[in-house]
Amino acid sequence: MQVRDVMNQNIVTIDPTESAALAARLLARHNVGALPVCSGNGRLQGIVTDRDIILRCVAPEEDPTQIPVKNIMTRHPKALSPADDVRQAAQIMAIQQVRRLPVVEEGRVVGLVSLGDLAKCGKFEMEVSKALTDISENVKRV
């Protein structure tokens, strides 16, 4: 099974110059945990998550209306192709310790795939379980 078969094609992106506050509103409005950060031509620049906003903006007491997404995003995230195998996606998530990966075709973001997407397809329980275990074991406890 390929990534294209399970990825979410209805993605919301954000420009790197937009504010962390706008990113937070988009995450809440669309009930998602990550936004691909794209330039005007749709090329992937990074990814910003709810966790990035909390740890890199709110916790250090920065003003989310004044901090651009480019200052808090994860740069150069690992990305997948729509033709990649979903098992490879789960392995990359485990290695990179992330729950979501952008899907890029010809340099442009065309989707997002999450552990949840892999779990919903019902065919890769072992891979999803291993990825989630690897991610969870490596999270630093506060």
Side-chain angles (χ1 to χ4, degrees), residues 43-60:
R43 299 219 178 260
L44 183 65
Q45 304 291 311
I47 194 164
V48 66
T49 66
D50 46 7
R51 182 176 167 87
D52 293 330
I53 295 168
I54 296 298
L55 296 179
R56 298 178 182 163
C57 184
V58 176

Side-chain angles (χ1 to χ4, degrees), residues 1 4 12 29 39 43 47 50 55 59 64 68 71 75 78 82 87 91 97 104 114 116-117 121-122 124 130 133 135:
M1 182 174 279
R4 79 175 81 249
V12 179
R29 182 178 305 138
S39 55
R43 299 219 178 260
I47 194 164
D50 46 7
L55 296 179
N71 290 10
R75 299 177 190 283
K78 184 72 175 166
R87 286 182 182 86
Q91 290 171 345
Q97 298 181 1
V104 176
S114 70
D117 296 327
C121 80
F124 304 99
K130 180 174 179 354
T133 300
I135 292 166

Side-chain angles (χ1 to χ4, degrees), residues 9-20:
Q9 295 179 40
N10 298 320
I11 54 167
V12 179
T13 64
I14 191 164
D15 187 276
T17 61
E18 294 292 351
S19 72

Side-chain angles (χ1 to χ4, degrees), residues 75-87:
R75 299 177 190 283
H76 312 295
K78 184 72 175 166
L80 299 167
S81 159
D84 286 339
D85 186 270
V86 292
R87 286 182 182 86

Side-chain angles (χ1 to χ4, degrees), residues 51 55 97 134-142:
R51 182 176 167 87
L55 296 179
Q97 298 181 1
D134 289 350
I135 292 166
S136 299
E137 285 179 351
N138 291 309
V139 172
K140 292 182 180 177
R141 305 280 185 228
V142 180

Side-chain angles (χ1 to χ4, degrees), residues 57-132:
C57 184
V58 176
E61 299 181 359
E62 300 287 346
D63 180 355
T65 65
Q66 299 301 312
I67 299 297
V69 168
K70 66 184 174 186
N71 290 10
I72 62 168
M73 71 183 186
T74 299
R75 299 177 190 283
H76 312 295
K78 184 72 175 166
L80 299 167
S81 159
D84 286 339
D85 186 270
V86 292
R87 286 182 182 86
Q88 180 183 8
Q91 290 171 345
I92 292 169
M93 287 179 197
I95 292 166
Q96 297 288 316
Q97 298 181 1
V98 296
R99 289 177 168 82
R100 300 164 198 88
L101 291 169
V103 182
V104 176
E105 189 169 47
E106 296 178 14
R108 299 186 197 291
V109 176
V110 296
L112 197 68
V113 66
S114 70
L115 277 177
D117 296 327
L118 300 181
K120 280 190 242 175
C121 80
K123 295 183 180 184
F124 304 99
E125 290 90 1
M126 293 299 294
E127 290 87 347
V128 171
S129 177
K130 180 174 179 354
L132 188 56

